[in-house]
Amino acid sequence: MSQKAVAIGSDHAGFSLKETLKKHLEERGITVHDVGPFDTCSVDYPVYAKQLSQYVLENECLGVLVCGTGIGMSMTANKVPGIRAAVCANSYQALMTRLHNDANVLCLGERVTGPGAAQQILDIFIDTEFEGGRHQRRIDLIEKS
Ligand code: RB5
């Protein structure tokens, strides 16, 4: 299934990579819902992580969060029930977190991952389908904990 819409958000430390990834998605013909920020002023990443998580749940789409490391974004997003956020620094993690964890939010670190690698990670994340089967049981256990 190709993604029709993807939500994206960042903090100031992830702003530049957010803009790059947004352009990349739009060039692929994917509609992007940008929850902000819209400039490089210093902001608090949990605000954007929560906003994006809400949008992902309401619209049943995938989301991308970018901060300096990807870690603060993932910590916040994973506190929202129904969100499975994965920090990925390589394509293998992006592939496996969709296949096995049914991750619905990709977290990237602008200070960790360059734009070329980040685009490849994002493409794999949005182009890979959850495998289901035995992995669904494990996802259900995450949601119950
Ligand atoms: C901001 O300086 C930085 O702390 C933030 O972008 C992120 O890396 C937190 O996890």
PDB file of all heavy atoms in Angstrom, residues 6-20:
ATOM      1  N   VAL A   6       1.202  11.604   4.913  1.00  0.00           N
ATOM      2  CA  VAL A   6       2.157  11.374   6.001  1.00  0.00           C
ATOM      3  C   VAL A   6       2.215  12.663   6.832  1.00  0.00           C
ATOM      4  O   VAL A   6       2.262  13.765   6.277  1.00  0.00           O
ATOM      5  CB  VAL A   6       3.556  11.015   5.449  1.00  0.00           C
ATOM      6  CG1 VAL A   6       4.609  11.028   6.543  1.00  0.00           C
ATOM      7  CG2 VAL A   6       3.536   9.647   4.766  1.00  0.00           C
ATOM      8  N   ALA A   7       2.179  12.515   8.159  1.00  0.00           N
ATOM      9  CA  ALA A   7       2.302  13.686   9.034  1.00  0.00           C
ATOM     10  C   ALA A   7       3.769  13.872   9.402  1.00  0.00           C
ATOM     11  O   ALA A   7       4.519  12.894   9.518  1.00  0.00           O
ATOM     12  CB  ALA A   7       1.459  13.486  10.284  1.00  0.00           C
ATOM     13  N   ILE A   8       4.165  15.126   9.598  1.00  0.00           N
ATOM     14  CA  ILE A   8       5.555  15.399   9.935  1.00  0.00           C
ATOM     15  C   ILE A   8       5.636  16.526  10.966  1.00  0.00           C
ATOM     16  O   ILE A   8       4.784  17.417  11.001  1.00  0.00           O
ATOM     17  CB  ILE A   8       6.365  15.738   8.651  1.00  0.00           C
ATOM     18  CG1 ILE A   8       7.869  15.575   8.872  1.00  0.00           C
ATOM     19  CG2 ILE A   8       6.026  17.124   8.100  1.00  0.00           C
ATOM     20  CD1 ILE A   8       8.676  15.478   7.587  1.00  0.00           C
ATOM     21  N   GLY A   9       6.629  16.455  11.830  1.00  0.00           N
ATOM     22  CA  GLY A   9       6.822  17.499  12.831  1.00  0.00           C
ATOM     23  C   GLY A   9       8.248  17.449  13.340  1.00  0.00           C
ATOM     24  O   GLY A   9       8.962  16.461  13.134  1.00  0.00           O
ATOM     25  N   SER A  10       8.657  18.497  14.007  1.00  0.00           N
ATOM     26  CA  SER A  10      10.043  18.550  14.505  1.00  0.00           C
ATOM     27  C   SER A  10      10.118  19.513  15.684  1.00  0.00           C
ATOM     28  O   SER A  10       9.101  20.041  16.129  1.00  0.00           O
ATOM     29  CB  SER A  10      10.987  19.034  13.391  1.00  0.00           C
ATOM     30  OG  SER A  10      10.831  20.431  13.172  1.00  0.00           O
ATOM     31  N   ASP A  11      11.330  19.729  16.164  1.00  0.00           N
ATOM     32  CA  ASP A  11      11.606  20.895  17.005  1.00  0.00           C
ATOM     33  C   ASP A  11      12.615  21.741  16.221  1.00  0.00           C
ATOM     34  O   ASP A  11      12.859  21.483  15.029  1.00  0.00           O
ATOM     35  CB  ASP A  11      12.080  20.492  18.415  1.00  0.00           C
ATOM     36  CG  ASP A  11      13.460  19.847  18.432  1.00  0.00           C
ATOM     37  OD1 ASP A  11      14.046  19.624  17.339  1.00  0.00           O
ATOM     38  OD2 ASP A  11      13.963  19.552  19.529  1.00  0.00           O
ATOM     39  N   HIS A  12      13.227  22.733  16.873  1.00  0.00           N
ATOM     40  CA  HIS A  12      14.178  23.599  16.160  1.00  0.00           C
ATOM     41  C   HIS A  12      15.391  22.818  15.662  1.00  0.00           C
ATOM     42  O   HIS A  12      15.912  23.080  14.579  1.00  0.00           O
ATOM     43  CB  HIS A  12      14.629  24.751  17.073  1.00  0.00           C
ATOM     44  CG  HIS A  12      15.139  24.267  18.396  1.00  0.00           C
ATOM     45  ND1 HIS A  12      14.289  23.785  19.370  1.00  0.00           N
ATOM     46  CD2 HIS A  12      16.393  24.137  18.883  1.00  0.00           C
ATOM     47  CE1 HIS A  12      15.023  23.405  20.413  1.00  0.00           C
ATOM     48  NE2 HIS A  12      16.295  23.602  20.138  1.00  0.00           N
ATOM     49  N   ALA A  13      15.811  21.805  16.453  1.00  0.00           N
ATOM     50  CA  ALA A  13      17.007  21.029  16.090  1.00  0.00           C
ATOM     51  C   ALA A  13      16.753  20.085  14.925  1.00  0.00           C
ATOM     52  O   ALA A  13      17.698  19.575  14.320  1.00  0.00           O
ATOM     53  CB  ALA A  13      17.506  20.248  17.300  1.00  0.00           C
ATOM     54  N   GLY A  14      15.482  19.845  14.630  1.00  0.00           N
ATOM     55  CA  GLY A  14      15.142  18.953  13.522  1.00  0.00           C
ATOM     56  C   GLY A  14      14.490  19.679  12.369  1.00  0.00           C
ATOM     57  O   GLY A  14      14.084  19.051  11.381  1.00  0.00           O
ATOM     58  N   PHE A  15      14.400  20.998  12.480  1.00  0.00           N
ATOM     59  CA  PHE A  15      13.631  21.781  11.492  1.00  0.00           C
ATOM     60  C   PHE A  15      14.157  21.626  10.059  1.00  0.00           C
ATOM     61  O   PHE A  15      13.383  21.398   9.127  1.00  0.00           O
ATOM     62  CB  PHE A  15      13.623  23.263  11.899  1.00  0.00           C
ATOM     63  CG  PHE A  15      12.879  24.123  10.919  1.00  0.00           C
ATOM     64  CD1 PHE A  15      11.489  24.163  10.924  1.00  0.00           C
ATOM     65  CD2 PHE A  15      13.553  24.873   9.963  1.00  0.00           C
ATOM     66  CE1 PHE A  15      10.789  24.934  10.004  1.00  0.00           C
ATOM     67  CE2 PHE A  15      12.864  25.649   9.043  1.00  0.00           C
ATOM     68  CZ  PHE A  15      11.484  25.689   9.072  1.00  0.00           C
ATOM     69  N   SER A  16      15.470  21.740   9.910  1.00  0.00           N
ATOM     70  CA  SER A  16      16.037  21.698   8.559  1.00  0.00           C
ATOM     71  C   SER A  16      15.789  20.331   7.904  1.00  0.00           C
ATOM     72  O   SER A  16      15.382  20.258   6.737  1.00  0.00           O
ATOM     73  CB  SER A  16      17.535  22.006   8.636  1.00  0.00           C
ATOM     74  OG  SER A  16      18.136  21.753   7.415  1.00  0.00           O
ATOM     75  N   LEU A  17      15.983  19.253   8.667  1.00  0.00           N
ATOM     76  CA  LEU A  17      15.736  17.917   8.107  1.00  0.00           C
ATOM     77  C   LEU A  17      14.238  17.719   7.833  1.00  0.00           C
ATOM     78  O   LEU A  17      13.866  17.088   6.843  1.00  0.00           O
ATOM     79  CB  LEU A  17      16.275  16.823   9.046  1.00  0.00           C
ATOM     80  CG  LEU A  17      16.151  15.390   8.533  1.00  0.00           C
ATOM     81  CD1 LEU A  17      16.844  15.203   7.184  1.00  0.00           C
ATOM     82  CD2 LEU A  17      16.732  14.394   9.546  1.00  0.00           C
ATOM     83  N   LYS A  18      13.393  18.270   8.705  1.00  0.00           N
ATOM     84  CA  LYS A  18      11.934  18.184   8.452  1.00  0.00           C
ATOM     85  C   LYS A  18      11.607  18.797   7.091  1.00  0.00           C
ATOM     86  O   LYS A  18      10.867  18.206   6.305  1.00  0.00           O
ATOM     87  CB  LYS A  18      11.143  18.894   9.546  1.00  0.00           C
ATOM     88  CG  LYS A  18       9.653  19.053   9.183  1.00  0.00           C
ATOM     89  CD  LYS A  18       8.810  19.584  10.315  1.00  0.00           C
ATOM     90  CE  LYS A  18       8.887  21.077  10.537  1.00  0.00           C
ATOM     91  NZ  LYS A  18       8.186  21.886   9.521  1.00  0.00           N
ATOM     92  N   GLU A  19      12.160  19.965   6.825  1.00  0.00           N
ATOM     93  CA  GLU A  19      11.871  20.645   5.556  1.00  0.00           C
ATOM     94  C   GLU A  19      12.359  19.811   4.364  1.00  0.00           C
ATOM     95  O   GLU A  19      11.664  19.697   3.352  1.00  0.00           O
ATOM     96  CB  GLU A  19      12.522  22.039   5.546  1.00  0.00           C
ATOM     97  CG  GLU A  19      11.925  22.993   6.574  1.00  0.00           C
ATOM     98  CD  GLU A  19      10.423  23.221   6.386  1.00  0.00           C
ATOM     99  OE1 GLU A  19      10.023  23.688   5.305  1.00  0.00           O
ATOM    100  OE2 GLU A  19       9.648  22.931   7.316  1.00  0.00           O
ATOM    101  N   THR A  20      13.548  19.228   4.509  1.00  0.00           N
ATOM    102  CA  THR A  20      14.103  18.383   3.434  1.00  0.00           C
ATOM    103  C   THR A  20      13.204  17.176   3.173  1.00  0.00           C
ATOM    104  O   THR A  20      12.892  16.832   2.033  1.00  0.00           O
ATOM    105  CB  THR A  20      15.521  17.898   3.835  1.00  0.00           C
ATOM    106  OG1 THR A  20      16.339  19.041   4.028  1.00  0.00           O
ATOM    107  CG2 THR A  20      16.144  16.993   2.795  1.00  0.00           C
TER     108      THR A  20
END
